[in-house]
Amino acid sequence: MKLICVTWGVLSGIGKGITGASIGAILKSAGYKVFMQKFDGYLNIDPGTMNPLEHGEVFVTDDGAETDLDIGHYERYIDTSLNSNSSRTTGKIYQEIFERERKGEYLWQTVQVTSHVASVVKEKIKSWFFTAGADISLVEIGGTVGDMESEYLIESMRQLRHELGAGNILFVHLVYLPYLGASDELKTKPAQNSVRDLRARGIEPDILVVRSDKRVDEKLISKLSIMTGIEKRCIIPSETVKSIYQVPVKYYNYGIGEVITEKLELQTTGEISFDLSQRENLIQHIENATEVKKIAMVGKYTALEDAYYSLNEGLKVAGYRNHINVQISFLDAEKLEQGSADEILSHYDGIVIPWGFGNRGIEGMIRAAQYARKNKVPYLGICLGSQIMAIEFARNVLGYPDANSEEFAPEGQHNVIHLMEHQKGIHTKGGTMRLGSYDCKLDPESLIFRLYGKPQIAERHRHRYEFNNEFRKEFEKSWFHISGTSLDGELVEMVELRDHPFMVATQAHPELKSRPLAPHPLFVGLVRAMARI
Ligand code: GLN
């Protein structure tokens, strides 16, 4: 078993999982099968019930787990679909402990953190390594070393180091060097202290990744090496870069591949050659993407890009291959409710209505959809954005001024969007939506079929409401085209307008399957429509 454990020091949010993901990408480029997982210290069972404004988006896996945003980084960087094993919270671990205790699995024992809880963590890491059929597994510990919440996770990793022995597990510690403007220097003291904190917990970092907004030069590396006792070649600078996709290439160029190979004793399995050429091509594409196209993303969570992280990335990546620099502006849907929505929207080449919950800003989104339809502006609706497209069409084309969704008008007469049959009677919130990957068949006569280039696809879902089939015939009599449904034809999954260059929407979340090396066809379709190519 070969494991890499990634911990953070000094402060959180400095790597956002990109460090682990980049290491994963480097190892994958040498042909290794990589599995990645993240442990988080909080007590929610999963992040599905947390505020996306604070915690970022919820990333849904094929098997329907609501996971941390970092799992999205992992999937995108190692270009591999992960699963519910990739994300564990303290809440979920403790839930299992309590269930086991009630069943009597710990009869006559005092159930304790450092033995029982740590055992569950170690068990999970080991069993997931084998179920994933991995060559190497990366384990990221959320929070910073020293946080009370993740103390037991660090202890579990220490025990695992002891059990597996050197050569089978290595520790990567990510630290941050703050910059002091007055003296124009980067300070290493917090990083030194953080290494000490880790050692105080019995863990010796093998590799120190050093995040900084400024250049980390030889002198600083020497200083860090002397003060921490970590070899210079094992200190990898991670300076802020223009595009996060440069990170794996940078790490690789700093020699992290060789250090890992040596420390994890990978040479014994044969000749190793890393090939980051696809990543380098991507960086080249990003640099060559000079034609700017602007997207208005009309949603509710405008304050933080992290809330729509995958969507953002998916749209940008779709542009690069076509030399297009997609610039996304987050427009507060509520602001479009009054006044000059058309004027505001006229400055954009395309409109995206992303996913969302609750009725704040809905009318503004409907106005944006109306604007896109009437002015033939490329439009892509994602989940809620697909429901909005149907509501707008029902109101302004089919002649139901009160058309709505049951979510926003529970007593409405013309709810073209309503609660899914299997959702009725569900009142608990955590993990109860329609979640995970579902197959969808596409109408060969549709634009969406042409974009995907195949008759059957699968996309991930996370929603409670769906298109109301009572209105289906009426929609279909017009130029509203239902281009994709569930295999039994019951659930409307993909829609488009026939008389529009690109008014496309899906009940699914395509952004969760978009990869930097394989942009999603719907996003590519939108970008090409915006650029008229
Ligand atoms: N709120 C809507 C629903 O639950 C849309 C959800 C979403 O956009 N993911 O169906």
Side-chain angles (χ1 to χ4, degrees):
M1 184 181 294
K2 302 285 179 190
L3 292 182
I4 298 176
C5 175
V6 182
T7 53
W8 296 0
V10 184
L11 43 101
S12 66
I14 48 177
K16 283 263 175 232
I18 302 277
T19 296
S22 298
I23 295 173
I26 293 168
L27 294 169
K28 169 99 193 272
S29 84
Y32 289 109
K33 186 152 188 221
V34 179
F35 186 65
M36 300 201 59
Q37 56 211 281
K38 179 169 187 204
F39 285 88
D40 275 301
Y42 50 80
L43 286 165
N44 303 60
I45 302 292
D46 60 44
T49 51
M50 290 161 81
N51 183 351
L53 274 179
E54 274 168 33
H55 194 72
E57 75 178 2
V58 174
F59 191 86
V60 179
T61 51
D62 277 337
D63 62 350
E66 296 182 282
T67 73
D68 186 81
L69 161 135
D70 282 341
I71 311 308
H73 292 311
Y74 302 164
E75 284 205 354
R76 283 188 287 273
Y77 276 63
I78 63 170
D79 201 10
T80 303
S81 292
L82 298 168
N83 55 42
S84 60
N85 292 345
S86 287
S87 178
R88 268 304 177 281
T89 66
T90 297
K92 188 147 183 163
I93 291 166
Y94 272 69
Q95 187 184 42
E96 184 173 331
I97 300 268
F98 296 147
E99 278 164 13
R100 286 191 187 188
E101 190 273 338
R102 289 292 85 181
K103 273 197 228 147
E105 281 184 35
Y106 303 129
L107 219 51
W108 316 130
Q109 299 174 37
T110 311
V111 184
Q112 287 181 310
V113 175
T114 48
S115 47
H116 298 81
V117 182
S119 287
V120 169
V121 174
K122 288 184 287 177
E123 247 171 56
K124 298 285 171 216
I125 293 174
K126 288 184 207 161
S127 72
W128 295 336
F129 175 86
F130 292 113
T131 43
D135 299 315
I136 302 164
S137 207
L138 268 102
V139 182
E140 184 172 340
I141 307 295
T144 43
V145 171
D147 287 352
M148 215 183 260
E149 278 89 354
S150 53
E151 213 60 275
Y152 81 98
L153 291 167
I154 301 282
E155 166 60 13
S156 309
M157 297 315 296
R158 185 197 65 78
Q159 295 181 15
L160 210 50
R161 163 73 176 74
H162 180 71
E163 286 173 27
L164 297 179
N168 295 321
I169 177 167
L170 76 78
F171 286 87
V172 177
H173 189 51
L174 177 66
V175 289
Y176 177 69
L177 303 187
Y179 172 72
L180 274 192
S183 53
D184 186 28
E185 59 175 341
L186 288 169
K187 304 300 285 181
T188 62
K189 189 56 72 69
Q192 295 175 35
N193 288 344
S194 170
V195 169
R196 207 174 49 203
D197 285 347
L198 198 57
R199 287 206 176 111
R201 288 161 177 79
I203 291 176
E204 182 62 39
D206 298 285
I207 296 176
L208 195 64
V209 174
V210 185
R211 274 289 290 124
S212 160
D213 286 332
K214 302 271 173 192
R215 215 178 106 62
V216 181
D217 59 17
E218 255 317 292
K219 232 172 89 200
L220 271 171
I221 294 180
S222 296
K223 181 171 179 193
L224 271 168
S225 177
I226 291 168
M227 302 315 284
T228 60
I230 297 172
E231 281 177 85
K232 271 180 14 186
R233 65 189 182 103
C234 300
I235 299 179
I236 308 292
S238 181
E239 294 131 352
T240 302
V241 277
K242 266 204 283 188
S243 156
I244 52 165
Y245 297 114
Q246 289 171 289
V247 179
V249 176
K250 291 252 173 202
Y251 284 7
Y252 177 69
N253 290 342
Y254 280 120
I256 201 169
E258 281 82 47
V259 176
I260 293 176
T261 304
E262 185 195 307
K263 301 238 171 201
L264 273 187
E265 296 171 9
L266 298 176
Q267 308 89 325
T268 51
T269 52
E271 189 62 33
I272 299 163
S273 77
F274 297 95
D275 174 13
L276 278 94
S277 54
Q278 281 184 308
R279 308 265 151 194
E280 279 156 2
N281 286 345
L282 175 65
I283 296 167
Q284 209 53 52
H285 282 303
I286 295 173
E287 270 160 23
N288 294 340
T290 44
E291 190 186 340
V292 172
K293 290 288 162 204
K294 292 187 187 159
I295 290 181
M297 178 109 84
V298 183
K300 173 172 144 182
Y301 306 112
T302 52
L304 207 68
E305 284 191 17
D306 274 5
Y308 297 122
Y309 197 97
S310 296
L311 185 50
N312 226 355
E313 279 310 301
L315 292 167
K316 284 199 254 175
V317 157
Y320 299 145
R321 304 251 156 159
N322 294 295
H323 304 295
I324 293 166
N325 174 359
V326 174
Q327 293 186 353
I328 303 163
S329 303
F330 295 91
L331 303 190
D332 181 350
E334 267 180 316
K335 295 222 171 86
L336 296 184
E337 281 173 12
Q338 320 93 14
S340 50
D342 289 14
E343 208 285 311
I344 297 172
L345 292 168
S346 69
H347 300 286
Y348 297 94
D349 304 297
I351 293 174
V352 171
I353 310 272
W355 55 267
F357 296 86
N359 61 3
R360 184 158 64 79
I362 291 300
E363 294 303 320
M365 296 177 207
I366 292 172
R367 275 196 70 172
Q370 183 182 19
Y371 174 88
R373 180 177 57 76
K374 283 185 143 176
N375 296 287
K376 306 242 186 281
V377 175
Y379 172 101
L380 181 63
I382 306 291
C383 207
L384 175 65
S386 149
Q387 301 175 354
I388 294 290
M389 180 170 146
I391 296 169
E392 190 280 320
F393 196 85
R395 283 190 191 177
N396 301 320
V397 179
L398 302 182
Y400 295 109
D402 62 338
N404 217 326
S405 161
E406 194 179 339
E407 184 178 4
F408 319 125
E411 308 299 331
Q413 292 297 299
H414 298 103
N415 283 339
V416 292
I417 305 296
H418 70 167
L419 200 60
M420 268 182 282
E421 199 51 47
H422 76 268
Q423 286 288 327
K424 292 182 181 147
I426 296 180
H427 300 295
T428 52
K429 290 287 183 225
T432 54
M433 284 187 248
R434 179 188 182 201
L435 289 168
S437 179
Y438 285 85
D439 291 334
C440 164
K441 61 175 184 203
L442 298 177
D443 178 353
E445 299 300 309
S446 65
L447 165 65
I448 295 181
F449 170 85
R450 289 202 298 282
L451 292 173
Y452 276 97
K454 49 187 172 187
Q456 192 176 316
I457 53 137
E459 291 289 359
R460 299 181 192 170
H461 287 250
R462 183 173 188 254
H463 58 108
R464 288 183 207 282
Y465 297 85
E466 61 161 342
F467 190 90
N468 183 348
N469 285 337
E470 252 182 63
F471 293 90
R472 197 148 151 181
K473 280 218 168 67
E474 216 170 325
F475 270 91
E476 282 184 306
K477 265 193 270 163
S478 70
W479 49 95
F480 191 96
H481 188 173
I482 293 175
S483 26
T485 65
S486 53
L487 297 188
D488 63 5
E490 279 305 302
L491 299 173
V492 172
E493 305 279 47
M494 306 260 167
V495 297
E496 64 191 60
L497 292 192
R498 288 182 210 274
D499 69 333
H500 193 287
F502 192 96
M503 189 131 183
V504 163
T506 170
Q507 192 57 73
H509 285 264
E511 73 277 16
L512 302 175
K513 286 180 75 168
S514 165
R515 304 267 167 84
L517 301 179
H520 194 284
L522 292 184
F523 299 158
V524 174
L526 173 74
V527 168
R528 292 177 70 93
M530 289 197 303
R532 296 176 208 276
I533 45 178

